[in-house]
Amino acid sequence: MSGPVVIAWTLTAVFAALVLPCVLRLVRLDYGRHGTAVRNGDLAELLLVVAMVAMLSPVGGPIPAAGWQAVLALTAGWFTVSWWKGRRSGHSACGHHAVSAAAMLFMVTFMPHSEVSHGPWLVMSGPGAASALWLSLLFGAVAAYFAVDAIRAGVSAARGTTGEGQISRRVCRVVMGLGMGYMLLGAAV
């Protein structure tokens, strides 16, 4: 195995492991206490984790790029509207999920896909995937956003300043942020 393949498999395993806490949070059904915004955030987190697995996996995923584009566009739109409606009440998680879905939509759209006999599967390409300067700058800026967000979420989790039952959400946010930053930096160079 070459270095990038080992990294791809390692990251695939890390993100696949994040599916479990996402599903466990969803089946707990404690959203009466946390609210629908938290439930919607957990659903988005699960969707984004699965999308990350499909993008990072060396074998690709069974859903063509156009399918992911549709799902991620709907997710980005949903959370943008939710953020806009709740911006005065401080639903910053909706804004974060909108940025996450939009970033993944851009990656699926602007990164090359390998052609397999079953159609285009999502596969991370090597450096130089995003050759346009504007796209590299955009990916770099969004990668910086995810790095800062991951650090902030990690500090919050380490200090215990998150609410009851929020540690799992913060840890997932840290791992997702670092993974998104890695993928975006890889696409930017």
Side-chain angles (χ1 to χ4, degrees):
M1 271 192 198
S2 65
V5 173
V6 171
I7 292 170
W9 276 116
T10 302
L11 291 173
T12 300
V14 167
F15 286 108
L18 288 180
V19 170
L20 181 63
C22 291
V23 170
L24 289 176
R25 287 193 309 263
L26 287 168
V27 299
R28 257 191 241 134
L29 301 176
D30 60 350
Y31 295 112
R33 184 170 31 121
H34 293 297
T36 58
V38 173
R39 182 199 63 220
N40 292 343
D42 286 346
L43 286 169
E45 194 79 26
L46 178 61
L47 171 71
L48 296 174
V49 165
V50 170
M52 289 289 281
V53 169
M55 280 194 266
L56 284 165
S57 172
V59 296
I63 299 175
W68 281 113
Q69 288 168 331
V71 169
L72 293 168
L74 288 171
T75 303
W78 173 273
F79 281 102
T80 300
V81 169
S82 296
W83 169 80
W84 184 257
K85 286 181 177 179
R87 67 189 184 285
R88 286 189 173 79
S89 61
H91 287 152
S92 63
C94 288
H96 174 75
H97 289 306
V99 169
S100 298
M104 292 181 80
L105 175 62
F106 270 86
M107 283 191 286
V108 168
T109 302
F110 290 106
M111 291 174 67
H113 303 94
S114 69
E115 291 295 327
V116 181
S117 62
H118 302 294
W121 287 24
L122 301 177
V123 179
M124 282 295 293
S125 64
S131 58
L133 178 61
W134 73 270
L135 196 54
S136 294
L137 292 174
L138 176 68
F139 280 3
V142 178
Y145 163 79
F146 283 113
V148 169
D149 184 70
I151 291 168
R152 201 178 86 235
V155 167
S156 176
R159 287 184 178 165
T161 56
T162 59
E164 176 193 348
Q166 299 295 319
I167 297 294
S168 171
R169 287 179 180 90
R170 291 292 178 189
V171 170
C172 284
R173 191 162 173 160
V174 168
V175 174
M176 283 292 291
L178 293 174
M180 290 285 289
Y182 168 78
M183 288 179 68
L184 287 162
L185 281 178
V189 293

